[in-house]
Amino acid sequence: MAGAQTMVIGHIPSGFSPRSSSGDLGLCSAPTCRRTAASPSSVGLCSSFMGGWVDRWRPAVRSKKKRGRSRIIVDEIAGQYEESFEDIHAHLINFFTYKAVRTVLHQLYEMNPPKYIWFYNFVSNNQVKDGARFLRSLGKEHQELAERVMVTRLHLYGKWIKKCDHAMMYQRISDENLKLMRERLMETVIWPSEDTNAENLDS
């Protein structure tokens, strides 16, 4: 029939896959199947409607892959704080335990050197990262010093609460953020050199 489309289907190899590695759909016996002008040596589906049909078929597969992916959305980088600040509370307790240990060590150094040496060696072998674990270990070895550290850290926290100015802390954080951003901006700015200024004056 005049003007009819011609479809030539060659021999299908045994290892045929309906989709090539590049994602194109076609029947090709040659190593590479190109949608542009087909060479006489290649055998494939040749029709004017194939290009449009493949183009319509591809987006459906891609969108299906995107829907199939599982993604995890993290609400906060450093943790979710909608309900509590328990991690901050734990850091504060551990920090005041550390401050109390230093305070007790300083007191023992002046008042009781032998006990200071013992406590110093204990602190060297048991780091004050987890305040509760440190105090449990200290209580097994020396109950009196453990109680002294607990009372001292509570006293230090009480003093800090009275002196803590939340508005001032907020302002200090804001000022530090601004300072860091300004420093970074100054590092990224390219300043004109003296030679460039001299060339501009000559011109």
Side-chain angles (χ1 to χ4, degrees), residues 31 41 53 60 80 82 94 117-118 132 135 137 162 167 195 203:
S41 60
W53 185 83
Q80 296 184 0
E82 289 95 2
N94 293 333
I117 295 174
W118 183 92
L135 289 172
S137 301
K162 294 178 181 179
D195 297 336
S203 60

Side-chain angles (χ1 to χ4, degrees), residues 18-52:
R19 188 176 181 184
S20 65
S21 60
S22 61
D24 294 333
L25 182 68
L27 302 178
C28 302
S29 61
T32 305
C33 182
R34 298 181 181 178
R35 290 171 55 191
T36 55
S39 62
S41 60
S42 64
V43 179
L45 292 179
C46 304
S47 176
S48 61
F49 76 90
M50 278 298 295

Side-chain angles (χ1 to χ4, degrees), residues 114-134:
K115 189 176 290 187
Y116 163 80
I117 295 174
W118 183 92
F119 192 33
Y120 179 86
N121 293 331
F122 180 86
V123 174
S124 300
N125 297 326
N126 300 270
Q127 296 182 355
V128 195
K129 291 183 178 180
D130 188 334
R133 182 181 302 176
F134 175 83

Side-chain angles (χ1 to χ4, degrees), residues 154-173:
L154 189 61
H155 175 69
L156 291 173
Y157 180 76
K159 291 180 64 176
W160 178 75
I161 283 294
K162 294 178 181 179
K163 293 183 179 181
C164 180
D165 187 346
H166 296 288
M168 180 192 67
M169 286 298 298
Y170 184 91
Q171 189 61 41
R172 287 180 62 178
I173 295 174

Side-chain angles (χ1 to χ4, degrees), residues 18-183:
R19 188 176 181 184
S20 65
S21 60
S22 61
D24 294 333
L25 182 68
L27 302 178
C28 302
S29 61
T32 305
C33 182
R34 298 181 181 178
R35 290 171 55 191
T36 55
S39 62
S41 60
S42 64
V43 179
L45 292 179
C46 304
S47 176
S48 61
F49 76 90
M50 278 298 295
W53 185 83
V54 172
D55 291 338
R56 290 194 301 271
W57 177 79
R58 280 179 180 170
V61 175
R62 290 174 181 171
S63 62
K64 185 180 294 183
K65 280 190 173 183
K66 289 181 180 180
R67 288 195 299 268
R69 294 176 183 173
S70 59
R71 296 182 179 180
I72 301 175
I73 299 176
V74 180
D75 190 22
E76 300 286 346
I77 295 178
Q80 296 184 0
Y81 294 128
E82 289 95 2
E83 297 179 357
S84 64
F85 288 80
E86 289 301 325
D87 54 343
I88 304 297
H89 299 162
H91 281 300
L92 279 175
I93 294 173
N94 293 333
F95 177 74
F96 278 103
T97 304
Y98 166 77
K99 290 279 289 182
V101 168
R102 291 189 58 182
T103 302
V104 172
L105 276 172
H106 181 73
Q107 294 170 351
L108 293 177
Y109 178 80
E110 296 180 348
M111 301 172 59
N112 194 335
K115 189 176 290 187
Y116 163 80
I117 295 174
W118 183 92
F119 192 33
Y120 179 86
N121 293 331
F122 180 86
V123 174
S124 300
N125 297 326
N126 300 270
Q127 296 182 355
V128 195
K129 291 183 178 180
D130 188 334
R133 182 181 302 176
F134 175 83
L135 289 172
R136 288 191 191 100
S137 301
L138 180 59
K140 295 176 182 178
E141 299 289 335
H142 205 300
Q143 180 66 28
E144 180 186 352
L145 281 177
E147 293 177 359
R148 185 169 180 174
V149 171
M150 287 188 283
V151 172
T152 303
R153 71 173 181 174
L154 189 61
H155 175 69
L156 291 173
Y157 180 76
K159 291 180 64 176
W160 178 75
I161 283 294
K162 294 178 181 179
K163 293 183 179 181
C164 180
D165 187 346
H166 296 288
M168 180 192 67
M169 286 298 298
Y170 184 91
Q171 189 61 41
R172 287 180 62 178
I173 295 174
S174 178
D175 293 343
E176 185 172 299
N177 290 345
L178 184 62
K179 178 182 177 182
L180 293 172
M181 288 189 292
R182 186 184 294 114
E183 290 176 356

